[in-house]
Amino acid sequence: MRPSIDFSGLWIPLVTPFHDGLVDHTALTRLVKRYAPTGVAGFVVCGSTGEAASLDEAEQLAVLDTVLAASDERPLIMGLSGYNLPQTLAWVRALCSHPGAARLAGLLVPAPHYIRPSQAGLLGWFKAIANQAACPVVVYDIPQRTGVTLAPDTLLALAHHPNIRAVKDCGHDAAKTQALIADGRLQILAGEDQQMFTTMALGGVGAIAASAHLHTEQFVDMVRLLRQGDLTQARALWAPLVPVIDALFAEPNPASIKAALASEGWLQNELRPPMVAARLPARDGREKSHFGG
């Protein structure tokens, strides 16, 4: 196993652009080259924001290759999910043997969706994946997508594993978040954009924030100030971002983010079914983004 990296800072979970139903690698390259110099810690590839559930394995590897080529040596976290353990472990092995695997800082792994296993079953799931992976595992605690909650004791037990190093925290449980931060063995990354200021003010190390596709430099600066403990300056940057985040999550992610990026010419306003495109009417009634970039 490779040594653990520091997952601190702002990570962008990239959208996957489409054009006429196919992955638009030209648009993806353009996006990555736009964000790489902004001071982001790195990119999450094929996460839920990237509509990974609608991509087959060949498409996911192609997306990974495009981001590897365009990301200026920025570290990457690769998303994976599933509910069949042997198939999931086979995919972990495929990712870890991929030519670009040396650039993978970690794998973002949620609980198995739909199955709703016990806490003992969840421990077995994450340990099996961490044992197989050649890079660190970031536990993705997102019960609204998986249907199962990772209990605090389960996460603290997983912290004993040398290859489980961080949590993307979407658990909507402030007490659990604070307990994990106080324990100190796992790095805690805010996964709910609306909670990133609070999570970092409590001691979280950073965020995986889909809304940072817009106003990226402002998000980067705010995260830097929070890490430095400068709450006053960070709060001044955070306040105008709150309505942007609220607007971007008014429809299922990443519909509004893609609509905003499309209005600025970065990609086509296209998602794969059953996701549908969002419309962002401006105050004058024309369809465009007024979130800025």
Side-chain angles (χ1 to χ4, degrees), residues 54-73:
S54 72
L55 303 173
D56 63 30
E57 290 185 357
E59 289 176 315
Q60 290 191 37
L61 291 176
V63 167
L64 175 60
D65 285 338
T66 294
V67 179
L68 284 166
S71 57
D72 191 29
E73 299 302 311

Side-chain angles (χ1 to χ4, degrees), residues 5 26 32 38 50 64 73 98 122 133 138-139 151 160 162 176 209 236 238 246 258 265 289:
I5 74 153
T26 300
V32 174
T38 61
L64 175 60
E73 299 302 311
H98 188 68
L122 292 169
V138 179
V139 174
H160 288 291
K176 180 167 69 175
W238 171 247
D246 290 343
K258 279 192 164 182
S289 165

Side-chain angles (χ1 to χ4, degrees), residues 44-291:
V44 177
V45 183
C46 293
S48 51
T49 301
E51 298 174 75
S54 72
L55 303 173
D56 63 30
E57 290 185 357
E59 289 176 315
Q60 290 191 37
L61 291 176
V63 167
L64 175 60
D65 285 338
T66 294
V67 179
L68 284 166
S71 57
D72 191 29
E73 299 302 311
R74 287 288 176 187
L76 309 180
I77 297 172
M78 183 72 178
L80 65 89
S81 65
Y83 51 77
N84 179 293
L85 184 58
Q87 290 178 3
T88 301
L89 293 178
W91 182 231
V92 170
R93 290 191 293 271
L95 290 173
C96 292
S97 63
H98 188 68
R103 287 271 308 284
L104 288 179
L107 299 176
L108 181 62
V109 182
H113 56 275
Y114 186 76
I115 301 296
R116 301 184 68 190
S118 68
Q119 297 300 303
L122 292 169
L123 280 170
W125 171 265
F126 285 104
K127 286 180 179 179
I129 291 170
N131 288 338
Q132 193 75 72
C135 60
V137 167
V138 179
V139 174
Y140 190 2
D141 184 14
I142 185 162
Q144 62 266 44
R145 287 188 181 271
T146 63
V148 64
T149 296
L150 284 159
D153 287 347
T154 300
L155 287 166
L156 292 172
L158 290 174
H160 288 291
H161 197 291
N163 207 32
I164 297 176
R165 304 312 314 146
V167 175
K168 180 184 178 184
D169 180 17
C170 300
H172 293 281
D173 185 337
K176 180 167 69 175
T177 300
Q178 292 179 67
L180 293 170
I181 291 170
D183 178 76
R185 288 176 295 167
L186 297 171
Q187 292 190 300
I188 306 305
L189 294 159
E192 291 290 340
D193 293 25
Q194 297 93 336
Q195 296 298 317
M196 60 190 299
F197 188 98
T198 303
T199 297
M200 291 197 66
L202 289 169
V205 302
I208 298 174
S211 50
H213 281 85
L214 280 71
H215 304 288
T216 309
E217 290 84 353
Q218 189 169 340
F219 275 101
V220 168
D221 287 344
M222 184 199 67
V223 167
R224 174 181 54 81
L225 289 166
L226 284 168
R227 292 181 64 198
Q228 294 171 355
D230 190 343
L231 293 181
T232 300
Q233 293 294 329
R235 192 179 296 113
L237 293 177
W238 171 247
L241 292 174
V242 172
V244 175
I245 294 170
D246 290 343
L248 288 175
F249 285 91
E251 296 199 34
N253 187 47
S256 297
I257 291 170
K258 279 192 164 182
L261 292 172
S263 73
E264 297 169 0
W266 290 102
L267 44 72
Q268 299 294 314
N269 189 16
E270 185 175 332
L271 296 91
R272 280 191 172 168
M275 298 292 289
V276 296
R279 295 173 61 89
L280 295 180
R283 293 184 182 90
D284 61 6
R286 292 176 294 167
E287 184 180 345
K288 65 179 183 180
S289 165
H290 34 250
F291 294 114

